[in-house]
Amino acid sequence: MKKTVLIIEDNKTQLEMLKKLVLEVNAEAVVYTASEVKAAYQIMMEKIIDAFLVDIILDVTKPGDTSGIKLGEKIRTIPQYMFAPVIFITSLEDTTRYTYTDLNCLGYVEKPFSPDRVKQLIKRALYFSTEKETEKEAVHCFRKEGILYPIKIKNIIYIESINHIVNIYLSEGGALTIPYRPCKQLLDDINASVLIQCSRNAIINKDYIENIDLTNRYIALRGIQTPVEIGITYKRKMLMEYKNGY
């Protein structure tokens, strides 16, 4: 699975620079960003993060702000992130000892930071992965009207993104409807190899394929009566899946 990085930085220019450096180190990495603690905490609970880049000062309007350190403390209280690599980025000097010894951070970068120094730390941070559930047991949280709906990947038969909504058809019957998002964005967000896009508007779970008809361009899925169409530009991709025995 792709490496995941969460950058927490309130300065938009520096945030974009850090994101650029992460992708220079690993072009396949999935990079999440946040400018404040609440948004960062939400992301780390919804996703599984492999490495964190945290600015210690996240609110320049507050004298002596160290909300990034408080976030680091919170990260360490979450079992799956107890040993996750954390890189602190700041202009403060007197926090070095605490971040290294008490929070066990991987590295400490002072502003203005050296791109080479940051990239070296990112390479080290991405060497190991946060322990993840097996894909068969993995859960993705879909958001609807501010509420999170945890769905096991193995229970998704297919996803249809059309007419300004997304329908997620489930093995236990029925479908979860959420606000519209493009299929590519959904695939990047869920990040599960068992899901594959078969048309501009549809994603299928390969474990539910019963038959692929490349001539007539449709896929029969277990648990779904209506065949799912294969888009013209996706026919070659489905042919490769067919050859690999899906």
Side-chain angles (χ1 to χ4, degrees):
M1 296 180 73
K2 295 179 181 178
K3 297 287 187 176
T4 54
V5 179
L6 174 56
I7 303 173
I8 306 99
E9 167 63 72
D10 65 320
N11 183 294
K12 186 175 181 180
T13 300
Q14 293 183 346
L15 187 149
E16 291 300 322
M17 174 59 74
L18 291 170
K19 182 176 180 180
K20 178 175 178 290
L21 293 174
V22 170
L23 294 175
E24 285 180 5
V25 171
N26 186 333
E28 298 296 317
V30 177
V31 182
Y32 301 103
T33 62
S35 60
E36 45 88 25
V37 171
K38 184 178 179 180
Y41 184 73
Q42 183 172 306
I43 293 170
M44 74 174 73
M45 296 308 295
E46 292 180 10
K47 313 296 179 186
I48 301 297
I49 305 300
D50 290 314
F52 297 84
L53 277 71
V54 184
D55 182 12
I56 287 179
I57 301 175
L58 294 172
D59 189 349
V60 294
T61 65
K62 292 183 179 179
D65 175 66
T66 56
S67 52
I69 288 182
K70 293 178 182 177
L71 178 62
E73 293 171 344
K74 188 67 177 177
I75 289 171
R76 290 296 181 238
T77 67
I78 301 171
Q80 66 191 20
Y81 298 134
M82 193 173 293
F83 303 106
V86 178
I87 301 169
F88 283 107
I89 300 173
T90 187
S91 55
L92 299 178
E93 296 179 0
D94 57 354
T95 57
T96 308
R97 186 172 181 274
Y98 174 68
T99 54
Y100 271 123
T101 58
D102 288 29
L103 294 183
N104 297 312
C105 76
L106 177 69
Y108 184 95
V109 179
E110 293 183 9
K111 295 180 180 180
F113 54 77
S114 161
D116 288 340
R117 163 70 173 160
V118 175
K119 288 170 70 172
Q120 287 175 1
L121 288 171
I122 292 170
K123 286 179 182 178
R124 290 173 57 193
L126 295 182
Y127 186 79
F128 296 104
S129 297
T130 301
E131 185 176 353
K132 297 178 174 66
E133 299 170 288
T134 63
E135 190 167 291
K136 296 293 184 182
E137 296 301 321
V139 173
H140 182 77
C141 291
F142 294 93
R143 180 178 297 279
K144 180 180 180 180
E145 298 176 352
I147 300 174
L148 296 178
Y149 293 85
I151 303 293
K152 287 186 177 181
I153 303 300
K154 69 177 183 180
N155 291 340
I156 298 173
I157 300 178
Y158 89 100
I159 301 172
E160 184 181 42
S161 182
I162 193 170
N163 294 332
H164 306 294
I165 60 171
V166 173
N167 291 313
I168 303 160
Y169 296 90
L170 305 172
S171 60
E172 58 264 39
L176 172 66
T177 300
I178 62 173
Y180 175 80
R181 296 174 65 195
C183 283
K184 184 180 185 306
Q185 190 178 98
L186 284 166
L187 277 177
D188 289 343
D189 198 25
I190 300 172
N191 192 21
S193 61
V194 73
L195 299 180
I196 182 172
Q197 188 170 354
C198 65
S199 72
R200 184 172 177 270
N201 301 315
I203 298 168
I204 62 168
N205 186 329
K206 292 186 286 186
D207 287 346
Y208 288 88
I209 295 177
E210 288 190 334
N211 181 53
I212 298 178
D213 185 335
L214 292 172
T215 303
N216 296 302
R217 293 195 293 110
Y218 74 80
I219 302 169
L221 297 172
R222 176 167 43 90
I224 298 292
Q225 292 184 347
T226 305
V228 178
E229 183 182 5
I230 300 173
I232 294 176
T233 59
Y234 293 85
K235 186 174 179 180
R236 184 178 182 83
K237 179 189 291 186
M238 296 312 302
L239 176 60
M240 295 302 297
E241 292 297 324
Y242 183 83
K243 287 182 176 179
N244 291 332
Y246 44 86

